[in-house]
Amino acid sequence: GDVELSAARHQPEGLEELQAHTKFTKKELQSLYRGFKNDCPSGHVDEETFTLIYAQFFPQGDSSAYAHFLFNAFDADGSGALCFEDFVIGLSVLLRGTAQEKLNWAFNLYDINKDGFITKEEMLEIMKSIYDMMGRCTLPAPRDSAPAEHVEQFFQKMDRNGDGVVTYEEFLETCQQDADIMSSMQIFENTI
């Protein structure tokens, strides 16, 4: 069963099926597919290619570490390659998902080892990668301690029971009660 599935992976699902699993129209899916095939003629994107494509959006910094975390979040089945379905389903959540779907996706991004908790170490890796991606040309220039300070603020807000880890429930509750976080979830709603 698994061998057959992976061999057929490069063939995209039917448009109707993708429409049912995403919040994109048939026209949007066709346009996304043309772009995907243009950048990835094989129908798959490995992490190296994903990192190169992603770097084009952040020329002022080093986006490779963040691209790694992002790639893993899009690669839902852990195959090491993104097919069009992985890409478009993740994009659908980010652009058109409900607040809860977006928060679930974000938690999955931050929970690097997928154990159901966000640790300070995981959050620090993510924060450092974001600061690296933004580059040194950010004004005012961030202090070297900025990522660690950001993590401390995150944990003061999110780690409600003070046990040193953030559970999905703590993450969800805190985000849902924060008006700024909830409004930021709507930013990309009509983008494509």
Side-chain angles (χ1 to χ4, degrees), residues 13 15 26 35 53-54 60 109 112 119 122 190:
E13 292 179 20
L15 270 183
K26 185 176 181 179
I53 293 168
Y54 196 73
Q60 75 279 14
L109 173 71
I112 296 170
T119 64
E122 287 172 319
N190 298 309

Side-chain angles (χ1 to χ4, degrees), residues 75-122:
D75 184 17
D77 63 1
S79 67
L82 298 183
C83 62
F84 180 66
E85 290 82 359
D86 292 333
F87 173 70
V88 85
I89 287 169
L91 200 60
S92 176
V93 169
L94 290 174
L95 299 181
R96 309 246 170 101
T98 64
Q100 183 150 356
E101 288 169 334
K102 291 175 185 178
L103 290 171
N104 185 46
W105 199 93
F107 185 87
N108 183 49
L109 173 71
Y110 301 145
D111 180 16
I112 296 170
N113 68 1
K114 310 296 178 234
D115 65 355
F117 303 100
I118 301 170
T119 64
K120 285 187 178 183
E121 293 76 20
E122 287 172 319

